[in-house]
Amino acid sequence: MNSPKTGKKERPHSQEIFRRATDVLVGGVNSPVRAFRAVGGDPIVVDRASGARLWDADENEYIDFVCSWGALILGHAHPKVVQAIADQARRGTSYGMPTELEVELASRIRKALPSCEKVRFVSSGTEATMSAVRLARAATQRDLIIKFDGCYHGHSDSFLSEAGSGLATLGIAACPGVPQALASLTLNTPYNDAAAVEKLFEQNRGKVSAVIVEPVAANMGLVPPSPGFLESLRELTTRHGALLIFDEVITGFRLCYGGAQTLSGIKPDLTTLGKIIGGGLPVAAYGGRKDLMDRVAPLGPVYQAGTLSGNPLAMSAGISSLDLLAAPGFYESLEARAKRLGDGIIGALRETGAQATAARVGSLLTLFFSPGAVTDYAAAKKCDTKRFATFFRGMLARGIFIAPSQFEAMFVSSAHADDDIDRTIAACRESLVAASE
């Protein structure tokens, strides 16, 4: 329903549902950024979704560029993925025992990412990164890890300092409840600054177990790696006897059939995956060299387990999704869609003279309300978040749903048609003008 006077989408039923949610859910949500605290107003309450669109509880329609935070590269409710889930559901939804489906999905991952000689499935990206770091510490018998300001690796204790994503959105640099003794084992340094990483290694000789990095940062907004940065991390970790962990929860199967490591030619020791490999269901994984992964129970002493790990519904959805992504021309077509959107946004910035800049890597995009390029978290934090909030509300009123945070990315899916892209560019132009007034 649209207001005849303002064009703003009215959401009385959604608001009533959210009011009830605040009584029984913390903040009315199950993940902080969904609460719209950074952009103002009540969140949309989704009723259903299909393809590139979703509908709220008041029947308002939106073109969706959140796509379940990047998990839905095929769009919502792809018929073949839905059919795979339905077929498996009739055979059972959870066994808590091995299935051939686990073997099939792991084999596809290993073929696409040769660095993952063995894989362990878990249920969330947080589980995957937490487990990878535990394994790295055990393998090296060292305690320290190096992570980068603004890179988000989930909400386990080791990562809740100077992190991006929801922490950046809420302006939280460190999290209460994390013991200082544990926080001191995480060394933070600026993204894209290889010299700073080298300095940390020199200051902590023989103590660093691993460097964990988003090979294309996407949780402080989209920030590509500078030329040579990832290569430097590979060289430094090898030289100092530490492990290199690529967090490809977002980039895995997003930029190509494989990961950022496929495009860069850099082989990490361990990789974490999530989102796309589950086809919209809760799945993540960590994998790496055989000698490292064989340290995980039951073969080794590094314990990790999960009742729903390798869940057959999720495995079926993942297999179906990866089979569709492997089709010839899939990523070329996706790149063309994303380029059309990215070029259109840049054109809108030029036409309106807005003090903003756009970044794009494949089907990941961010519009930063910053006059200059954003290359690290310090630059991202200088963005005008109030103007972003105005822009966000303008896009939402025009039927375009983007992430309710300056520090997240837009995700283009194969379900977005040219008309969707054109309509989004037009809405962007109008919303930029409104945000500048």
Side-chain angles (χ1 to χ4, degrees):
M1 297 185 295
N2 289 354
S3 165
K5 291 183 179 180
T6 66
K8 179 181 178 181
K9 294 181 182 296
E10 301 296 332
R11 303 196 301 272
H13 189 37
S14 295
Q15 290 167 346
E16 189 273 329
I17 293 172
F18 185 63
R19 279 193 294 272
R20 286 194 285 123
T22 60
D23 285 338
V24 292
L25 298 172
V26 179
V29 295
N30 283 300
S31 191
V33 74
R34 302 177 191 177
F36 280 33
R37 294 291 180 88
V39 293
D42 291 333
I44 61 173
V45 176
V46 178
D47 177 71
R48 66 189 188 282
S50 178
R53 285 170 164 73
L54 53 81
W55 288 263
D56 67 21
D58 296 279
E59 291 298 317
N60 294 308
E61 179 181 323
Y62 306 88
I63 299 174
D64 182 18
F65 288 98
V66 175
C67 294
S68 192
W69 305 97
L72 301 175
I73 195 170
L74 296 165
H76 294 277
H78 189 286
K80 291 187 177 179
V81 177
V82 171
Q83 187 62 55
I85 295 170
D87 289 346
Q88 177 55 46
R90 283 188 284 269
R91 299 168 62 89
T93 58
S94 181
Y95 308 130
M97 292 297 288
T99 68
E100 189 176 6
L101 296 169
E102 297 169 297
V103 180
E104 290 187 16
L105 183 55
S107 297
R108 284 164 171 77
I109 291 171
R110 185 172 69 175
K111 185 175 181 181
L113 295 167
S115 70
C116 292
E117 295 175 349
K118 283 193 174 181
V119 172
R120 169 62 63 86
F121 288 113
V122 292
S123 297
S124 72
T126 293
E127 261 191 286
T129 54
M130 175 186 71
S131 301
V133 165
R134 180 184 299 158
L135 176 56
R137 284 173 164 153
T140 61
Q141 298 183 51
R142 300 173 179 179
D143 292 337
L144 300 182
I145 62 169
I146 294 175
K147 70 171 287 289
F148 296 93
D149 299 340
C151 283
Y152 179 72
H153 305 292
H155 60 87
S156 68
D157 287 355
S158 292
F159 303 129
L160 293 181
S161 59
E162 290 297 330
S165 191
L167 287 171
T169 300
L170 297 174
I172 302 171
C175 180
V178 177
Q180 183 56 40
L182 181 56
S184 66
L185 300 179
T186 299
L187 308 176
N188 288 280
T189 194
Y191 189 75
N192 277 328
D193 190 342
V197 178
E198 184 166 20
K199 185 176 180 180
L200 284 178
F201 270 114
E202 292 296 336
Q203 292 172 340
N204 299 275
R205 279 190 168 273
K207 297 179 181 179
V208 176
S209 64
V211 173
I212 185 168
V213 64
E214 293 179 79
V216 177
N219 284 293
M220 52 180 138
L222 179 67
V223 178
S226 297
F229 175 62
L230 298 177
E231 289 83 354
S232 294
L233 298 185
R234 178 67 282 179
E235 190 277 327
L236 285 167
T237 49
T238 300
R239 191 199 325 161
H240 289 276
L243 302 185
L244 179 60
I245 304 172
F246 269 14
D247 180 349
E248 299 228 40
V249 168
I250 287 179
T251 55
F253 295 94
R254 165 58 61 179
L255 307 178
C256 66
Y257 194 82
Q261 61 191 266
T262 307
L263 298 178
S264 68
I266 298 169
K267 189 176 182 180
D269 301 296
L270 294 170
T271 297
T272 62
L273 298 165
K275 297 187 185 290
I276 287 172
I277 66 165
L281 272 67
V283 180
Y286 63 107
R289 293 185 349 230
K290 180 178 181 295
D291 64 294
L292 293 173
M293 295 302 294
D294 281 353
R295 294 172 180 267
V296 178
L299 296 183
V302 182
Y303 193 74
Q304 179 270 311
T307 299
L308 295 177
S309 296
N311 175 265
L313 290 180
M315 297 295 100
S316 297
I319 291 166
S320 178
S321 295
L322 294 197
D323 286 350
L324 290 164
L325 301 186
F330 177 88
Y331 287 95
E332 291 79 3
S333 178
L334 186 64
E335 166 67 19
R337 287 180 173 88
K339 185 177 186 302
R340 183 186 183 98
L341 178 58
D343 289 349
I345 290 174
I346 291 171
L349 292 175
R350 291 198 191 103
E351 291 174 32
T352 61
Q355 291 293 298
T357 184
R360 182 180 74 86
V361 177
S363 55
L364 292 162
L365 301 94
T366 296
L367 177 59
F368 288 108
F369 279 84
S370 167
V374 174
T375 58
D376 58 21
Y377 192 37
K381 288 194 293 185
K382 293 178 182 177
C383 288
D384 190 335
T385 55
K386 290 183 178 179
R387 286 181 61 215
F388 173 82
T390 301
F391 174 76
F392 169 86
R393 292 192 296 270
M395 293 290 279
L396 196 67
R398 291 169 175 83
I400 312 297
F401 182 46
I402 62 174
S405 166
Q406 171 67 97
F407 306 108
E408 301 283 358
M410 295 173 66
F411 298 93
V412 181
S413 76
S414 62
H416 286 101
D418 286 346
D419 286 348
D420 298 325
I421 302 299
D422 291 342
R423 180 176 156 191
T424 301
I425 294 168
C428 180
R429 189 181 299 109
E430 294 170 4
S431 298
L432 284 170
V433 171
S436 299
E437 293 175 349

